[in-house]
Amino acid sequence: MRLQVFRRSSAAEQSAAAKRRPRVPNTVYAIGPVRGQAALLRKLVERILRDVPRRPSEQVGADEGAPSTRSRRAKAADLVFLGDLIGSGSDGLGVLDYLQELAAEPALKVTPVLGSQEYRLCRFLSGQCDGARWLGDGGVAFLVSNGVEPRLGASPFRLRPEVEAVLAHRRALLDAMPPSVTIGDVLFSHGGGAPQVPVKQQTVEDLVLGVGEGPPRRRSDGLWSVHAGPLVEPLEPDSGSFGLSTGAHYSQRLVALRIDADGGLGLLEACLD
């Protein structure tokens, strides 16, 4: 695991950079699509909890000397999940259960936003679509990993009671996910939204599924966009948007973008051996 930190610049450089770097009221961590990798997620969040009490943009070294539970809880930070939590992985329910655990963590304000998988799953469960798109977007892997035979070729509607039973109490968490959240001048969403449309006028589909091909473009309203597009390294601090997808279900790598109140940017990473 590592943290990528941009070097400290001069006062003049910082003044110029402040015009093009995201601004947030307190430290924010955004985690890319988890895709059912509960063990990988736990490893990354443990790393985040060790990082929370440090000063904005401070160099983070080895894991030794981690603060105590009592001291780390003295400072709060936002933790935003960019959707696609459950599909294409072996432990989607474990991911949802862990998010419910995190709701009790005093150091973090946790906000999961809708990904394409959650959006299509909720539409399927509410009868707004037949579920074919959800099954093709990680749904089959989710069902198989939880002992449900998808019975491909039959109507997906027949699966609805079984899916409801598998989700059980976790359904409330899915239903409560917003399509996006804005913190400071940063828009966090799965799809990035339409770059020429104000946030309040965005459709849920644009925020969750995105618009067009390629990564989201710089927004016309001045907001930064943090989304589930492909991760590009090294980070470009004046790009206008950041993608955080690492294909965690096959790469066994998950990253979090850290945005500090002073404009500092960094990446935290967790990998499974």
Side-chain angles (χ1 to χ4, degrees), residues 149-194:
E149 170 55 54
R151 298 191 298 277
L152 299 180
S155 170
F157 281 114
R158 298 181 182 179
L159 293 171
R160 191 173 293 153
E162 293 175 86
V163 176
E164 289 276 15
V166 165
L167 289 172
H169 63 280
R170 308 170 186 92
R171 174 72 187 276
L173 174 64
L174 293 173
D175 289 339
M177 290 182 187
S180 68
V181 62
T182 302
I183 302 174
D185 64 358
V186 185
L187 171 67
F188 298 88
S189 67
H190 183 79

Side-chain angles (χ1 to χ4, degrees), residues 25-242:
N26 53 268
T27 300
V28 180
Y29 299 88
I31 295 181
V34 180
R35 293 185 171 270
Q37 300 300 309
L40 190 58
L41 174 60
R42 285 181 178 272
K43 194 171 184 179
L44 180 58
V45 173
E46 287 170 2
R47 184 68 184 91
I48 289 172
L49 286 171
R50 289 193 294 270
D51 184 60
V52 164
R54 298 178 183 270
R55 294 188 303 274
S57 299
E58 182 180 4
Q59 179 83 24
V60 177
D63 289 344
E64 52 266 28
S68 68
T69 299
R70 184 174 181 178
S71 64
R72 83 180 184 198
R73 293 182 176 182
K75 180 174 179 178
D78 282 276
L79 177 60
V80 181
F81 290 86
L82 299 178
D84 280 7
L85 299 170
I86 60 176
S88 306
S90 59
D91 195 9
L93 295 183
V95 171
L96 297 182
D97 290 341
Y98 186 48
L99 259 64
Q100 291 178 320
E101 286 182 37
L102 284 176
E105 171 54 64
L108 300 171
K109 178 183 177 181
V110 180
T111 305
V113 301
L114 280 171
S116 60
Q117 294 172 347
E118 293 82 26
Y119 175 68
R120 289 172 175 141
L121 171 57
C122 289
R123 282 175 56 82
F124 166 54
L125 293 175
S126 63
Q128 298 178 61
C129 66
D130 67 4
R133 290 298 300 273
W134 172 64
L135 289 172
D137 189 21
V140 171
F142 173 74
L143 292 175
V144 170
S145 66
N146 289 287
V148 178
E149 170 55 54
R151 298 191 298 277
L152 299 180
S155 170
F157 281 114
R158 298 181 182 179
L159 293 171
R160 191 173 293 153
E162 293 175 86
V163 176
E164 289 276 15
V166 165
L167 289 172
H169 63 280
R170 308 170 186 92
R171 174 72 187 276
L173 174 64
L174 293 173
D175 289 339
M177 290 182 187
S180 68
V181 62
T182 302
I183 302 174
D185 64 358
V186 185
L187 171 67
F188 298 88
S189 67
H190 183 79
Q196 304 301 319
V197 179
V199 173
K200 292 184 178 180
Q201 299 176 20
Q202 298 272 346
T203 67
V204 173
E205 288 78 9
D206 286 349
L207 289 167
V208 176
L209 305 179
V211 293
E213 298 294 330
R217 302 188 303 275
R218 184 182 293 273
R219 295 188 55 81
S220 61
D221 56 13
L223 292 178
W224 285 70
S225 176
V226 178
H227 51 86
L231 173 67
V232 176
E233 298 180 277
L235 296 177
E236 298 179 7
D238 59 350
S239 65
S241 69
F242 301 108

Side-chain angles (χ1 to χ4, degrees), residues 238-260:
D238 59 350
S239 65
S241 69
F242 301 108
L244 296 182
S245 178
T246 57
H249 55 302
Y250 58 82
S251 71
Q252 295 296 285
R253 179 192 182 211
L254 190 62
V255 300
L257 171 69
R258 190 185 72 189
I259 307 175
D260 294 323

